[in-house]
Amino acid sequence: MIDVMRSEWTKMRSVRSTVWTLGSVPVLMVALAVVGALATVGSGDAGSLADPVSTSLRGIVLASLVTATLGVIAISGEYRTGAIRTSLVAVPGRLRFLAAKAVVLTAVTLVVGVASAFAAFLAGRIAFAGRAGEVSLADPGVSRAVVGAGLYLAASGLFGLALGVLLRHTPGAIVTVCALLMVLPTLVALVPGELGRRLLEFTASNAGSQVAVVHPTGMGPWTGFAVYLAWVALPLAAGAVLLGRRDA
């Protein structure tokens, strides 16, 4: 298993598209943190000043799509080039192959995600310096939200991998993950009344992002993250079953 994971790590760091995709995560997080904080300070928005952590971490919306895209191309790229045949000849145990890819992807996106979240928080804190919205990591819920942002980004990468192995088609999987993370909550929000509110809480992005805010709305942060992991587990399990049954 260690050798298979080493092989997956070699694939990830030697393909230019994955390196550039992963490298865009900290850039997005920090840039949007600075822009959001400066805009908030300039406008004097009392609501945003009261929750500067969410303002500093607003980049997770786009960054989650980036890590999800990385997860998609980590597996669908092999199908596109035909390299999947070589991979499965080298690793006949298909579940072991998928598990190694999932472990390496999760580890890499978790490290980059947490580091990017801390960098975004610090950048926002500098922009908020001397303002009413200034907070520190020692404040209640702040450290959990920053680390939670990294967890959310890593889970999004795994979500992309799950849809990639399930659909085996790069554009289709990317469109699907964008629809589930971005479009679905918008559609569910149109449902009127209490039913719409409850359904919205259980959409993938709304549930998962609760762990990345200081003051969660609706379900608790870890409950919401568990719901998001359920969203990830379903297509991943289905993809694992199909990987074992379909021709490469």
Side-chain angles (χ1 to χ4, degrees):
M1 186 65 177
I2 298 299
D3 290 336
V4 181
M5 287 192 292
R6 185 181 298 116
S7 172
E8 292 302 323
W9 166 239
T10 301
K11 292 178 188 176
M12 179 171 289
R13 64 184 174 84
S14 60
V15 177
R16 186 175 300 173
S17 61
T18 59
V19 173
W20 280 99
T21 302
L22 192 61
S24 67
V25 173
V27 174
L28 278 173
M29 292 286 289
V30 172
L32 290 177
V34 172
V35 171
L38 291 177
T40 299
V41 170
S43 65
D45 185 346
S48 297
L49 283 172
D51 189 7
V53 178
S54 293
T55 301
S56 299
L57 297 179
R58 64 173 56 189
I60 65 170
V61 176
L62 290 180
S64 65
L65 296 181
V66 173
T67 56
T69 299
L70 177 66
V72 169
I73 63 179
I75 182 67
S76 64
E78 294 203 41
Y79 281 102
R80 180 178 56 81
T81 61
I84 188 67
R85 299 184 183 90
T86 304
S87 295
L88 295 181
V89 167
V91 188
R94 295 190 176 192
L95 290 182
R96 183 172 50 159
F97 162 75
L98 181 60
K101 192 176 286 290
V103 169
V104 171
L105 175 70
T106 302
V108 171
T109 51
L110 180 61
V111 171
V112 173
V114 172
S116 300
F118 272 101
F121 171 77
L122 293 176
R125 190 169 187 268
I126 292 172
F128 277 117
R131 305 289 179 172
E134 187 176 359
V135 295
S136 71
L137 290 171
D139 292 335
V142 174
S143 295
R144 188 261 304 149
V146 175
V147 174
L151 291 173
Y152 178 65
L153 295 179
S156 297
L158 196 57
F159 196 23
L161 176 68
L163 292 171
V165 73
L166 181 64
L167 300 178
R168 303 197 303 183
H169 185 257
T170 302
I174 291 176
V175 169
T176 301
V177 76
C178 289
L180 291 175
L181 292 179
M182 301 294 291
V183 180
L184 182 60
T186 303
L187 296 177
V188 172
L190 299 176
V191 179
E194 181 66 16
L195 175 62
R197 189 186 67 80
R198 292 295 297 172
L199 289 176
L200 187 61
E201 289 182 5
F202 284 89
T203 56
S205 55
N206 278 4
S209 61
Q210 295 303 306
V211 75
V213 295
V214 177
H215 306 291
T217 57
M219 63 181 68
W222 299 113
T223 302
F225 190 64
V227 170
Y228 188 38
L229 292 181
W231 276 89
V232 174
L234 288 175
L236 186 60
V241 171
L242 292 177
L243 179 65
R245 293 182 178 180
R246 296 188 295 200
D247 292 335

